């Protein structure tokens, strides 16, 4: 039970406890006490490279579709590159969602 009245929003989670599980191991003393993840940089990089890798996946897929048998590079290579670009784009989407959730939690505007 929380001592706060019902409907009162929780204070934002501090950066040290903003992970889904919390601290994974005790501090060893060698890392800075105020170390923070560069969330805004991750947001910027994911936002920039998401459309780049989506476009690359689409272009390689179209190239693979248009390439004939015995073409160079081989169709299987183009399909593999397109799949890798799509996987990286998916990871960028996941990272965007995680970063946005953590930033909202820090600001106290999370659900």
């Amino acid at each position: 039970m929380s001592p706060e009245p019902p409907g009162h929003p929780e204070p934002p989670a501090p950066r040290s406890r903003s992970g889904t599980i919390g601290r994974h191991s005790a501090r060893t003393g060698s890392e800075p006490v105020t170390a923070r993840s560069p969330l805004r940089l991750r947001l910027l990089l994911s936002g920039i490279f998401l459309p780049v890798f989506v476009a690359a996946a689409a272009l390689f897929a179209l190239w693979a579709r248009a390439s004939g048998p015995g073409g160079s590079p081989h169709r299987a290579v183009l399909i593999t590159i397109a799949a890798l670009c799509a996987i990286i784009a998916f990871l960028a989407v996941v990272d965007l969602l995680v970063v946005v959730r953590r930033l909202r939690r820090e600001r106290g505007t999370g659900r």
Side-chain angles (χ1 to χ4, degrees):
M1 281 291 197
S2 173
E4 302 287 331
H8 190 274
E10 288 186 29
R15 181 67 71 97
S16 63
R17 298 297 297 171
S18 64
T20 55
I21 298 175
R23 290 189 191 259
H24 296 283
S25 60
R27 282 181 31 86
T28 62
S30 62
E31 69 276 359
V33 175
T34 58
R36 295 170 49 137
S37 173
L39 293 178
R40 296 205 193 295
L41 178 63
R42 285 175 55 189
L43 185 68
L44 175 71
L45 291 174
S46 292
I48 289 172
F49 286 107
L50 172 62
V52 170
F53 281 104
V54 167
L59 290 174
F60 280 115
L62 289 174
W63 188 7
R65 182 178 178 198
S67 70
S72 180
H74 195 270
R75 186 174 184 179
V77 172
L78 294 173
I79 291 171
T80 302
I81 294 172
L84 289 174
C85 288
I87 290 169
I88 293 171
F90 174 75
L91 292 175
V93 168
V94 170
D95 191 47
L96 274 173
L97 293 174
V98 168
V99 168
V100 167
R101 191 183 97 221
R102 287 184 182 176
L103 286 172
R104 283 185 181 161
R105 186 183 300 161
E106 281 183 10
R107 289 188 208 131
T109 59
R111 290 177 227 144

